[in-house]
Amino acid sequence: MRATLSIFSIFRLTFFFTSSVLAQYPKSPKRGLVSVSTLNPGDDQIFVQPNNGLTWYYNYGISPTTEYKNLTQSEIEFVPMLWGISNATGSTFLQNVTSMIAKGRNITHVLGFNEPDVNYTAGGSQISPDAAAASWILNFDPLRKMGVKVGAPVVYANESGFAWLDKFYTACQSRKSNCTADFMNIHCFGNISFVESYLTEYKQKYPGIPLWITEFALPYSPLPATETFFNQSLAFFDNDTTVERYSYFGSFRASASNVGWNVTMLDGTGGLTDIGSWYLGGAGVEDASTTTPSAAGSTSSAKKSDAAGLSRGGIKMVGGLVIGATAALALLL
């Protein structure tokens, strides 16, 4: 799903009290990185500078991001993910993780399947509950026995996603396993009310299990609303003891995005936007609100209905990323 810009409008919003009230954004040990492949791999270094506050990352894959492969787990923890499966009877993921551990990389957490309830064309891994159960038992159950904490499959955030999880756990039990997860993995796109209500559903359905929010943002919205959501959601996650970790979906440039023009942490030239700077524990970017146009009218050529009213759902990177971000510093709620 590639975003196209249809209307450009310039937002210049200045809060005169910002610098004295919030000179530097609060950091959080929960905060991590969704590392995505782009045409600008040099941008990856921006997110692993000293004292940026990020403690972990994942990249939808089973091997560390190339630019981070020499960093230790104590510098930034890599969390492998089994995105999908081509062979339900294969244990390549287990072998890869145990190999990394044997070579000295202290893998303590792994992530399950990425949106298995969604078909390939929409960016999901398209796995049947039964095939997922078979693969889970071969790859994740042994890792749990080794002491590695595993995250449940992350589904597209709607009721059909919960239905897929119900069928998955039923298939596991028919194979004499509970497919136990140490934490639930969640994608959630929409305003703060939808995020809060969706997490409440998870808490009610899976009580006592920690939550990881591994993709979240407010897609296709004007900059002020996007920044307000950013501040509200981080404050909400940081204050919610059930939320163990989170990673904002936006570590890419203004030159390619499927979630709208204002979400991104990098502008069109690879510089930090205000959202990017805040996420890394910094102050606002001085020129962000005066040099980059925001596209409040941007739409998705592939999923216009999602762009207009997406309240809950994982959104995948397709092709390059197209995003530019501007900045107007909002108070942390």
Side-chain angles (χ1 to χ4, degrees):
M1 179 168 64
R2 185 178 297 276
T4 58
L5 303 181
S6 58
I7 301 174
F8 286 89
S9 57
I10 305 297
F11 286 98
R12 293 190 179 184
L13 193 59
T14 304
F15 293 91
F16 294 100
F17 47 81
T18 293
S19 60
S20 61
V21 174
L22 191 62
Q24 196 166 18
Y25 207 88
K27 297 177 183 178
S28 170
K30 299 181 181 183
R31 198 170 301 165
L33 175 70
V34 187
S35 176
V36 297
S37 298
T38 72
L39 298 177
N40 302 283
D43 292 346
D44 291 333
Q45 292 300 325
I46 294 173
F47 301 105
V48 292
Q49 295 303 307
N51 302 315
N52 69 6
L54 300 185
T55 60
W56 67 282
Y57 79 97
Y58 80 103
N59 58 13
Y60 303 100
I62 61 177
S63 300
T65 298
T66 300
E67 288 72 19
Y68 306 158
K69 64 182 180 181
N70 293 325
L71 297 175
T72 66
Q73 292 293 89
S74 61
E75 290 175 304
I76 186 166
E77 177 190 353
F78 170 59
V79 179
M81 180 184 218
L82 180 53
W83 185 86
I85 57 174
S86 57
N87 178 8
T89 62
S91 58
T92 302
F93 183 76
L94 171 64
Q95 295 168 17
N96 184 80
V97 173
T98 54
S99 175
M100 284 192 289
I101 292 173
K103 293 177 181 178
R105 185 174 287 275
N106 184 27
I107 302 295
T108 57
H109 299 80
V110 294
L111 297 170
F113 312 113
N114 189 78
E115 297 184 4
D117 55 318
V118 178
N119 62 39
Y120 293 122
T121 57
S125 55
Q126 193 176 331
I127 312 171
S128 72
D130 189 66
S135 180
W136 182 283
I137 292 167
L138 287 174
N139 290 279
F140 292 95
D141 281 355
L143 287 172
R144 283 198 83 244
K145 291 178 181 178
M146 293 171 54
V148 177
K149 293 185 177 182
V150 303
V154 56
V155 293
Y156 193 85
N158 55 30
E159 295 307 315
S160 66
F162 283 126
W164 187 96
L165 285 172
D166 289 342
K167 294 175 182 177
F168 167 71
Y169 286 118
T170 298
C172 290
Q173 291 170 0
S174 71
R175 293 173 176 270
K176 312 302 181 185
S177 172
N178 290 325
C179 294
T180 303
D182 297 287
F183 56 93
M184 303 307 295
N185 187 8
I186 299 173
H187 292 172
C188 197
F189 291 79
N191 64 33
I192 193 64
S193 296
F194 282 115
V195 171
E196 291 174 350
S197 65
Y198 188 52
L199 264 61
T200 296
E201 287 188 75
Y202 259 93
K203 294 172 187 178
Q204 293 172 344
K205 193 169 180 64
Y206 307 102
I209 303 180
L211 307 179
W212 285 29
I213 321 303
T214 54
E215 286 185 13
F216 70 98
L218 180 64
Y220 305 101
S221 297
L223 181 63
T226 303
E227 292 183 336
T228 296
F229 168 82
F230 176 86
N231 289 324
Q232 291 174 329
S233 58
L234 264 62
F236 173 54
F237 296 153
D238 284 331
N239 289 313
D240 189 329
T241 56
T242 308
V243 175
E244 195 169 78
R245 297 188 184 186
Y246 61 82
S247 51
Y248 181 73
F249 190 70
S251 62
F252 31 80
R253 286 195 187 198
S255 52
S257 163
N258 60 349
V259 285
W261 183 256
N262 293 316
V263 169
T264 151
M265 292 198 276
L266 300 178
D267 63 24
T269 61
L272 288 171
T273 62
D274 271 3
I275 284 178
S277 183
W278 296 338
Y279 197 72
L280 299 180
V285 181
E286 182 179 356
D287 63 350
S289 63
T290 59
T291 61
T292 308
S294 74
S298 66
T299 60
S300 165
S301 59
K303 267 193 179 178
K304 200 166 185 179
S305 61
D306 280 355
L310 183 61
S311 62
R312 303 167 176 177
I315 302 178
K316 290 283 99 20
M317 306 303 300
V318 178
L321 296 171
V322 182
I323 312 178
T326 68
L329 187 57
L331 290 177
L332 180 62
L333 300 180

